[in-house]
Amino acid sequence: MNPSPRLKRAYVETYGCQMNISDGELMEGILADGGYEIVRAPEDADVVLVNTCAIREHAERRVLGRVSQLNGLKLERPDLLIGVTGCMAQRLGETLLEQAPYVDLVMGPDGYRGLPEALARLERGEDVDHAALGAAETEDAAEGVVLIHGRKRGPQLAVLALDMDENYQGLEQRRADGPAAWVPIQRGCDHRCTYCIVPYVRGGEKNRSAVEILSEVRGLAEQGVSEVTLLGQTVNSYVWKDVDFPSLLRDVARIDGIGRVRFTSPHPNDVTERLVEVMAEETGVCEQLHLPAQSGDDRTLRRMLRRYTVESLLEKIELVRTAIPDIALSTDIIVAFPGETDAEFRATLGLMREVRFDEAFTYKYSLREGTPATRLPAEDFIDSDEAQSRLAELIEVTRAIQSEINEAELGRIEEVLIENRGRDEGQIRGRTRRNKVVVFDGDASRIGQYARTMLDRTTGATFVGTEVGAHAAVEG
Ligand code: 5AD
Ligand code: SF4
């Protein structure tokens, strides 16, 4: 065999949620391990992977546009391999290969271990008949591997098995430098919220070994990371052997060098007294909680299969606020779920006014093929003008509340972990423990350090501050 003249180069472009960004880092780690050089632009790459999201239709449309744009590069360089990975790849599977014949590979979230091998096979244009690719060694998993022949540019490969045994053990993420890191502790989801595609594209809940998570966080701390965010679809339902989420959180918070711990996204039902106790007691756990409410109306929550009521959600919030009075709360809300009446939408506005979340991520319901909500009566689906006007009203209410909360915080002195440069020269930016973004004057050499910062002004959502002194080194 001829020695290759240079390393193959790979470029990974990620869309979607933090879990997917984390998966993008994981793919980079796997590719680097497999002998690839990771590059920062598709023009420099031999392999381009678009790591996609399927949560809403809009996300998918954007990605399809991007993939067809990348085909422009392939027209110039026919050897370029284009892969589509992630949730949309899993959802569309081989259909995507048919729709976009210039795509060489579709690979779902459980296939990443086999990425270098899949690419090598495609490069060789090799015949593969249900061959085992990396993790896909079980018969079941092998069924997810299909090589489709007869395309313009040789074979295409689809790796789509969802594999309950793929626990990402031993795989290393290739993280961007910085003081804050995301650590996936759980993948997939055992809920079946009726609007949501996640359980179908990521499979059931799988929890990583606590031993591996703790050793990863220790390693990160040794490299200078001082803030970690534990990630999972319903992160607080985590359980591994006799380690549940509150005990894992406690253990992570006690690792030397870790000054801050966050987690996202919890399910309200798994916000327990014990969890709140750990959050209140452990100084490392930040005073911040993202608690997806989705709706403020019981009938809608029931039809969404969220498995809680407005009353029980409010009780959880009360529990958290009693233990941690200064906690910053954020949420996700979907408007115009099929059948949502105007009164039910107004109940959501009522919830927002009652709870006063520090931040809300707001969405219009987006129909996802294959989810239970698609089977609701056709006349229940809300037209897009009405949905848009509900969304606009919700945004107005939540922004006004956010501004009021943030205005009231002016003058406070907060600990900021400096994460990157600000937009303007000479400015740096970081987040407070309550997850609020603060920009202030300072040198980029300070990135990674903590600062004590006075909050001077707010744009409504973020702050401009002044440093009032370096913060003492955080104890682990
Ligand atoms: N339509 C609109 N929003 C959705 N989300 C999930 N599925 C859909 C959908 N089909 C929102 C939920 C979730 C967030 C990540 O995305 O609010 O919490
Ligand atoms: Fe989707 Fe519900 Fe699971 Fe969250 S809990 S990922 S909304 S099914």
Side-chain angles (χ1 to χ4, degrees), residues 96-111:
L96 186 67
L97 295 179
E98 276 154 35
Q99 271 174 16
Y102 42 86
V103 170
D104 301 282
L105 170 72
V106 291
M107 183 178 265
D110 282 346

Side-chain angles (χ1 to χ4, degrees), residues 83-242:
V84 179
T85 64
C87 294
M88 186 180 112
Q90 185 72 41
R91 192 178 86 75
L92 296 178
E94 288 149 43
T95 332
L96 186 67
L97 295 179
E98 276 154 35
Q99 271 174 16
Y102 42 86
V103 170
D104 301 282
L105 170 72
V106 291
M107 183 178 265
D110 282 346
Y112 301 152
R113 190 185 290 274
L115 201 46
E117 205 179 328
L119 293 171
R121 281 173 195 253
L122 281 169
E123 265 168 22
R124 293 196 295 265
E126 197 176 86
D127 257 22
V128 183
D129 52 339
H130 295 250
L133 276 173
E137 269 165 7
T138 63
E139 236 186 74
D140 244 354
E143 275 171 23
V145 181
V146 188
L147 195 70
I148 299 162
H149 301 273
R151 303 279 158 195
K152 270 187 284 183
R153 291 184 197 82
Q156 292 174 301
L157 188 59
V159 183
L160 300 168
L162 285 175
D163 179 359
M164 278 313 275
D165 294 328
E166 170 51 296
N167 218 351
Y168 299 78
Q169 189 110 11
L171 298 176
E172 261 199 46
Q173 274 170 254
R174 185 178 179 279
R175 293 189 166 86
D177 283 344
W182 302 79
V183 178
I185 66 166
Q186 172 196 71
R187 285 167 206 267
C189 181
D190 280 347
H191 287 257
R192 290 287 180 276
C193 302
T194 52
Y195 50 81
C196 185
I197 192 76
V198 168
Y200 309 96
V201 291
R202 286 191 174 264
E205 175 182 320
K206 297 187 288 191
N207 294 298
R208 274 179 76 193
S209 132
V211 176
E212 207 176 278
I213 295 163
L214 292 170
S215 114
E216 182 174 343
V217 177
R218 274 187 219 104
L220 288 169
E222 278 159 22
Q223 290 161 35
V225 167
S226 76
E227 175 178 315
V228 291
T229 304
L230 306 179
L231 274 185
Q233 241 76 49
T234 54
V235 69
N236 53 338
S237 67
Y238 174 91
V239 61
W240 181 81
K241 297 192 176 166
D242 57 352

